Amino acid sequence: MISEVGVPLPHLADLGAPVTPEGRQLLEVLDRHLPSIAEAADAHDRPGTFPTEVFHALRADGVLSATVPREFGGGGVSSVHDLTLAVMRVAEADAATALCLHMQLCRGITMSYELRHAAPAGQALAERILSLMGTGDALIGGALKDAGQVTDLRPDGDGGWLLSGRKILVSMAPVATHFVVATRTRPDSGPARGASAFLEAGSKGLSVPDNWDGMGMRASASSEVVFDDCPVPEEDLFLRGPVGEVNHAAMAGQTVSSIGLLGVYAGIAQSARDIAVAGVRRRGGIPAGAVRTLVAELDVKLYSLRTALGAALLHTDHHAARTADDPAERGLRMIAPFQYAKLVVNRNAAAVVEDCMTLAGGASFTAGHPLARRYRDVRAGWFMQPFTYADAIDHLSARALDLES
């Protein structure tokens, strides 16, 4: 960042501006799409349909490959701070679109990390995925949350695997071209290992039921995905450590891949505040003291939210580059600020939206009011991994009290 008089400025923890040229370019492109994203939001929220036309336009402008390295045809955005800022801006127009966009953009950053640091087989798979994202039309859904029994892989007898199980809340599922599936191996011998499987949407045994009917994020098309003995070649797996083993090193990757989601809820809070304050201004005159108090408190909560998130993002970008550090210590150093910020963002974003509804009055409780959609969408933050509220409390308190985690 450069000041008006040409003096370099330090990066500020307020999510006010991008910190890289690539991030600035991404935001400039997105600015052209924000009006159409906002216009499509209500039309897709009520029926729960995916804004396909929005994503076609984003793809045509290179947004969906923005975090893919330039050598693979992408935009080269590597800063998690800038990714999150982009997601936040989109969320101000529509949270469901921002949620899905994050799922795509975080994939480019995580695959870039795998390309540099995974085992040779993982590096080859990461290169293939990045090539699909950068030069093709790949839209990659992340299938993380099991429904009922654990999704697992068992040997197919030919050196490959068969994937079975069911995932829920898979954003963009009906339109995704590929899926990365969190799973685990169930080998004939030896320990079960964590894994991520890469599958094409048309794979044998893979189906996407048309059953999405969420309370919020209705335009995210977060359907179920069912796997019924889907063939997965060995080369289409990222293999992790033994199941049940605490892996502090992996927390670095969890932070990099997931902290950007907080931009969704920061964007919801910002847009709710802007809607409510504009409504107060339209009434004219000098507002009552209670109204002015709420408005001031809104901005305090929003400032706290943005500052906590901005600081955590700069911290994440700093440590993400320090790959020579001890992996376990690095992971622990990265996950804690992420979780501090997540608690602040989730708590304050929900409180901001509720206060905005108080300012708007009963009209905001009708389904067509813009604050009603934001009230429903902001609730999703508490359920996002890592971590849910209970898991975050367990982890942070264990670290503070020097307990086994």
Side-chain angles (χ1 to χ4, degrees):
M1 295 175 62
I2 304 294
S3 73
E4 292 180 359
V5 294
V7 179
L9 293 174
H11 296 324
L12 302 178
D14 64 355
L15 286 176
V19 297
T20 66
E22 295 84 1
R24 187 175 303 111
Q25 183 178 11
L26 172 59
L27 287 175
E28 289 172 356
V29 173
L30 278 173
D31 279 346
R32 301 198 297 267
H33 291 269
L34 295 180
S36 59
I37 291 171
E39 184 178 350
D42 285 329
H44 288 284
D45 176 72
R46 299 299 293 277
T49 53
F50 187 78
T52 304
E53 72 283 4
V54 167
F55 275 77
H56 281 327
L58 293 176
R59 176 186 283 123
D61 258 356
V63 172
L64 301 188
S65 59
T67 54
V68 173
R70 293 194 185 277
E71 60 265 34
F72 294 101
V77 175
S78 59
S79 165
V80 178
H81 177 281
D82 289 354
L83 178 156
T84 307
L85 182 54
V87 168
M88 187 181 81
R89 295 276 178 84
V90 173
E92 291 177 35
D94 179 38
T97 297
L99 176 69
C100 294
L101 183 61
H102 174 267
M103 299 302 176
Q104 176 80 354
L105 294 182
C106 78
R107 193 73 53 203
I109 286 184
T110 55
M111 288 301 108
S112 297
Y113 183 87
E114 297 282 4
L115 184 65
R116 295 190 300 271
H117 302 292
Q123 290 177 337
L125 178 54
E127 181 173 345
R128 183 149 50 93
I129 294 172
L130 288 170
S131 296
L132 287 167
M133 293 179 67
T135 60
D137 291 330
L139 194 62
I140 302 178
L144 304 177
K145 186 172 181 57
D146 285 318
Q149 69 182 74
V150 175
T151 304
D152 62 14
L153 294 151
R154 71 177 194 280
D156 67 357
D158 253 339
W161 301 87
L162 296 173
L163 177 68
S164 294
R166 184 165 60 97
K167 298 287 189 178
I168 59 172
L169 302 178
V170 184
S171 297
M172 316 186 287
V175 297
T177 61
H178 300 78
F179 295 96
V180 173
V181 185
T183 182
R184 69 185 200 179
T185 64
R186 187 156 52 90
D188 294 329
S189 61
R193 296 177 63 182
S196 295
F198 182 62
L199 291 89
E200 289 191 36
S203 296
K204 178 184 176 183
L206 189 156
S207 60
V208 181
D210 183 15
N211 59 6
W212 172 239
D213 189 20
M215 180 181 78
M217 301 292 185
R218 290 185 55 78
S220 67
S222 298
S223 305
E224 294 182 4
V225 181
V226 179
F227 309 96
D228 184 8
D229 283 350
C230 297
V232 181
E234 182 77 17
E235 59 267 25
D236 287 352
L237 282 185
F238 293 103
L239 285 173
R240 315 299 185 191
V243 172
E245 180 180 277
V246 175
N247 185 351
H248 291 146
M251 292 177 177
Q254 291 176 324
T255 301
V256 168
S257 66
S258 300
I259 193 171
L261 271 173
L262 300 183
V264 175
Y265 305 100
I268 293 172
Q270 181 68 57
S271 62
R273 179 265 180 202
D274 292 345
I275 291 166
V277 169
V280 172
R281 287 174 176 161
R282 282 195 300 271
R283 294 172 199 161
I286 298 177
V291 171
R292 296 176 66 179
T293 299
L294 267 179
V295 169
E297 291 287 356
L298 283 178
D299 280 352
V300 171
K301 290 170 185 171
L302 196 54
Y303 178 80
S304 300
L305 179 161
R306 290 172 62 114
T307 304
L309 177 54
L313 289 167
L314 293 178
H315 185 276
T316 297
D317 276 338
H318 172 76
H319 285 286
R322 298 178 61 88
T323 54
D325 291 355
D326 176 80
E329 283 302 313
R330 175 169 165 264
L332 287 169
R333 280 197 295 267
M334 291 175 72
I335 198 77
F338 170 24
Q339 294 308 306
Y340 297 146
K342 188 173 188 296
L343 289 174
V344 172
V345 170
N346 287 342
R347 184 178 291 123
N348 281 15
V352 164
V353 175
E354 289 178 4
D355 286 348
C356 288
M357 293 181 74
T358 299
L359 285 171
S364 65
F365 200 65
T366 59
H369 196 282
L371 288 176
R373 170 159 54 88
R374 287 159 175 85
Y375 180 80
R376 289 184 282 106
D377 289 346
V378 79
R379 322 313 293 184
W382 292 105
F383 304 104
M384 296 292 182
Q385 291 276 11
F387 296 126
T388 64
Y389 178 77
D391 290 341
I393 294 302
D394 282 348
H395 175 79
L396 294 173
S397 62
R399 290 286 291 165
L401 299 172
D402 199 22
L403 306 174
E404 294 256 336
S405 60

